Amino acid sequence: MAENLSPGLDRDQLLELYRALCLTRAAEERLELLQKQGHMTGGLYRSLGQEAGAVGAAFALRRRTDGTGDFLAPTVRAVGALFLFGGDLVDFFRQYMARATGPTKGREANVHWVDYQKGFVGPVSPLGTMLEVMAGITLSFNLRGEDRVGMVFYGDGASSTGAWHEGLNFAAVQRCPLILMVEANQWAFSSPTVKNTRLESFTEKAPGYGIAAESVDGTDVLAVYEAVARAAARARSGEGAQMVELRYFRRLGHAQHDSQDYVDPALIAEWAARDPLELFHTRMLDRGWAPEGELLAIRQEVEQECEVAAEQAIAEPMPFGPDAVDDVYTDVSMPHPWTRAEISDSRSA
Ligand SMILES: Cc1ncc(C[n+]2csc(CCOP(=O)(O)OP(=O)(O)O)c2C)c(N)n1
Ligand SMILES: [Mg+2]
């Protein structure tokens, strides 16, 4: 039997966590390269410094591929969670490069894809709304008597939207088995937390809805895992919605096009010294959980995997324009919308 190390995880599980952190980092670094090479079609929203939050949280859930496991709603920055839930690496690159072969057939350009068997649903772009969606999904678990929990990620900025409050209240009142993961990265685009809330911690919002909350160092993958494992156990035992705050820092701009010139460089340097991947790497070595050679081999392996997957996606076709109306509800014979009836078309004048 495998030896329990920390926190109740065996060596293989610790290596799996390490691998997931490396994969997240390598996949995003590969995207950066693809963007510079002109292969990408949309924006790139990196999760640098936040990887352990997504990885540690998803690792604490039941991940299955037959539609009976727990259910995830990631954000664009919760890439590690998406991979742990079985999000395919080639599909990931296909999405970012709008390949016709990707899950959304090139219709959008990042993580808005869905797989009900693996158990994840892509984010709806208006911030806060995924809380409402996931309240509904987890209510269905209760109504059907299914032993499943849901997990929804959202940014600290998103927790100031009306949808967030309504969704949370509903989930709390209905005792939905839903874990709310607050990505407290201290920024919402260029707005710092102080312009977002008067609270010291986003967990202080939880008592207003009668739910339990924990705040955790989001750079510490094992601490995140433990906190979420506790929250998941509470949610599973009928205690309903739970909140976990991930404390960390958005070390890059909102997206690659954002120069982040409104952030104090000293602060960025301070958080760079708390890099979640390097912290876990050092811990693995210090505790004797794995030798350096084994860890470096994992890093090389995932970088290689990313290169191969990206090359495969590059070689695949972009969508054929007229296919854009396939699989969508449309009525081309619809009358001209009244809202536009009076707008003259300057081209025909
Ligand atoms: C309701 C709504 N308002 C504004 C936007 C535009 N927008 C997209 S991301 C973003 C900032 C989000 O900040 P946060 O929720 O903290 O997430 P982070 O980017 O820090 O991960 C904004 C304002 C949106 N998508 N939806
Ligand atoms: Mg934020």
Side-chain angles (χ1 to χ4, degrees):
M1 196 171 138
E3 185 198 358
N4 272 351
L5 297 167
S6 171
L9 298 174
D10 63 34
R11 207 179 94 86
D12 287 348
Q13 289 172 307
L14 291 168
L15 286 171
E16 204 184 332
L17 276 175
Y18 181 79
R19 192 176 200 288
L21 289 175
C22 294
L23 181 65
T24 310
R25 182 69 56 88
E28 289 189 1
E29 284 177 353
R30 178 59 52 174
L31 284 179
E32 231 181 276
L33 199 64
L34 294 170
Q35 191 177 46
K36 286 179 189 154
Q37 292 169 341
H39 291 299
M40 261 180 55
T41 52
L44 172 51
Y45 306 79
R46 289 212 42 194
S47 69
L48 185 70
Q50 301 183 207
E51 297 94 335
V55 166
F59 203 75
L61 298 191
R62 288 181 192 153
R63 292 163 284 124
R64 298 183 185 155
T65 54
D66 62 355
T68 67
D70 293 336
F71 207 90
L72 169 77
T75 56
V76 72
R77 300 197 208 282
V79 169
L82 187 64
F83 287 148
L84 280 172
F85 264 74
D88 180 76
L89 192 56
V90 184
D91 276 342
F92 178 77
F93 288 117
R94 286 177 177 135
Q95 283 295 100
Y96 274 92
M97 292 190 280
R99 289 321 198 235
T101 44
T104 59
K105 302 184 183 173
R107 287 195 176 85
E108 71 86 46
N110 52 62
V111 292
H112 299 74
W113 39 305
V114 176
D115 191 318
Y116 292 116
Q117 294 304 108
K118 290 176 177 168
F120 60 82
V121 64
V124 185
S125 288
L127 299 173
T129 50
M130 286 314 288
L131 221 92
E132 297 173 318
V133 171
M134 287 300 287
I137 287 177
T138 50
L139 177 65
S140 80
F141 297 160
N142 274 353
L143 294 177
R144 295 194 203 118
E146 292 177 348
D147 179 18
R148 305 170 74 182
V149 304
M151 170 176 282
V152 59
F153 282 85
Y154 55 88
D156 36 14
S159 69
S160 295
T161 61
W164 183 88
H165 288 276
E166 288 184 31
L168 171 50
N169 191 53
F170 185 84
V173 162
Q174 295 288 338
R175 293 189 179 269
C176 296
L178 178 60
I179 305 163
L180 286 75
M181 300 299 307
V182 197
E183 298 177 318
N185 64 8
Q186 307 188 31
W187 296 94
F189 215 123
S190 52
S191 304
T193 298
V194 287
K195 290 198 174 171
N196 183 2
T197 181
R198 286 177 61 167
L199 304 174
E200 285 292 312
S201 160
F202 288 90
T203 54
E204 291 173 43
K205 294 192 180 192
Y209 295 93
I211 71 164
E214 269 194 64
S215 182
V216 66
D217 176 355
T219 66
D220 180 342
V221 71
L222 294 181
V224 173
Y225 167 78
E226 285 182 279
V228 175
R230 283 191 293 270
R234 291 194 298 268
R236 233 181 268 288
S237 70
E239 287 185 38
Q242 308 288 322
M243 186 187 288
V244 178
E245 176 187 58
L246 300 166
R247 295 191 317 271
Y248 42 35
F249 194 82
R250 198 194 70 202
R251 281 167 47 200
L252 291 170
H254 175 68
Q256 291 300 102
H257 57 260
D258 171 15
S259 67
Q260 205 186 13
D261 54 6
Y262 47 84
V263 183
D264 179 359
L267 212 48
I268 299 173
E270 195 181 301
W271 282 90
R274 290 176 58 182
D275 182 83
L277 177 50
E278 297 312 326
L279 285 177
F280 193 48
H281 182 94
T282 306
R283 196 146 164 201
M284 294 282 279
L285 295 181
D286 289 352
R287 301 279 172 94
W289 291 335
E292 177 123 57
E294 191 174 6
L295 299 183
L296 295 180
I298 291 174
R299 285 198 193 198
Q300 278 171 5
E301 210 175 276
V302 296
E303 278 164 22
Q304 180 72 17
E305 271 174 37
C306 287
E307 187 179 345
V308 171
E311 287 303 320
Q312 181 179 334
I314 287 173
E316 293 174 353
M318 300 283 278
F320 177 55
D323 291 347
V325 288
D326 286 354
D327 309 326
V328 292
Y329 294 104
T330 179
D331 181 356
V332 285
S333 64
M334 237 170 56
H336 201 66
W338 66 269
T339 46
R340 297 196 183 165
E342 285 171 14
I343 297 176
S344 63
D345 186 345
S346 54
R347 289 166 304 181
S348 57

